[in-house]
Amino acid sequence: LNWVALVCWVLRELMQGRLSTLTIAHSLQPRVDNMMFNKLPLNIDNLLHQRTVESERIEYKQGWNPESVLHTLCAFANDFQNLGGGYVVIGVAEAHGQPVLPPEGLLPEQIDSIQKTLLNLGHSAMQPPYHPLTAVYEVQGKSILVLWAPGGETRPYKAKTNLNDKKSDWAFYVRKHTSTVKATGETERE
């Protein structure tokens, strides 16, 4: 989809005389770089600026809370409503369901540590194993980490309820409106 948008932009600019074939490579480089390094199927500006409230598909996290993020990823992987999973945006606070900008951001060493922890949690704290896709974005001079958790292929997924307890119970998690909750009763049976 991004490549289609890029080609349409080039053709429109060429037809309107604002772009010559000699300047195409120079003009396109930032767009191509953005597509290559930010490989998630999203527009970060839309995710942050055009969202009015946190939804069933987006969860903003000011900082890294592995247990909370794990439960949200589990709920998105279960994709109970078949909405296509969801996004966890780490480094952006939320107030009354809206992203708070400018973002808090994350340091490079935090991002590296989070990604390593996610890899471990995907194997040790979720069954069957599950790993979201990740990308780092620069927003207003701050780095944020976006996790894309599409609906999993081997549903249902369950996660440890407590990462600090070696003998922790496991539970199925789902999204209910803007919250991640343990599946209970009929929802758990489904």
Side-chain angles (χ1 to χ4, degrees), residues 82-163:
N82 290 316
L83 298 173
Y87 298 93
V88 179
V89 183
I90 304 173
V92 177
E94 157 296 295
H96 309 292
Q98 298 180 355
V100 176
L101 297 174
E104 293 287 324
L106 299 167
L107 298 173
E109 56 271 15
Q110 288 176 297
I111 293 169
D112 183 57
S113 175
I114 291 168
Q115 290 175 323
K116 288 176 182 173
T117 302
L118 282 169
L119 180 63
N120 181 42
L121 290 175
H123 287 296
S124 65
M126 196 177 299
Q127 294 178 355
Y130 180 87
H131 301 282
L133 299 175
T134 66
V136 177
Y137 290 87
E138 288 292 321
V139 177
Q140 298 179 0
K142 302 283 186 157
S143 295
I144 64 169
L145 181 63
V146 178
L147 313 178
W148 179 40
E153 294 181 18
T154 53
R155 298 178 222 179
Y157 292 87
K158 60 184 176 180
K160 286 187 173 181
T161 58
N162 184 337
L163 293 178

Side-chain angles (χ1 to χ4, degrees), residues 72-80 85-86 126 130 149-153 155 157:
T72 300
L73 292 174
C74 183
F76 286 147
N78 282 325
D79 197 15
F80 190 69
M126 196 177 299
Y130 180 87
E153 294 181 18
R155 298 178 222 179
Y157 292 87

Side-chain angles (χ1 to χ4, degrees), residues 25-55:
H26 178 70
S27 298
L28 293 181
Q29 194 59 49
R31 291 170 185 254
V32 171
D33 287 346
N34 190 40
M35 281 187 230
M36 295 301 200
F37 296 112
N38 298 319
K39 57 195 174 293
L40 298 183
L42 66 88
N43 179 317
I44 194 69
D45 291 327
N46 289 346
L47 193 69
L48 294 174
H49 297 293
Q50 295 179 358
R51 296 287 321 147
T52 55
V53 294
E54 195 171 43
S55 73

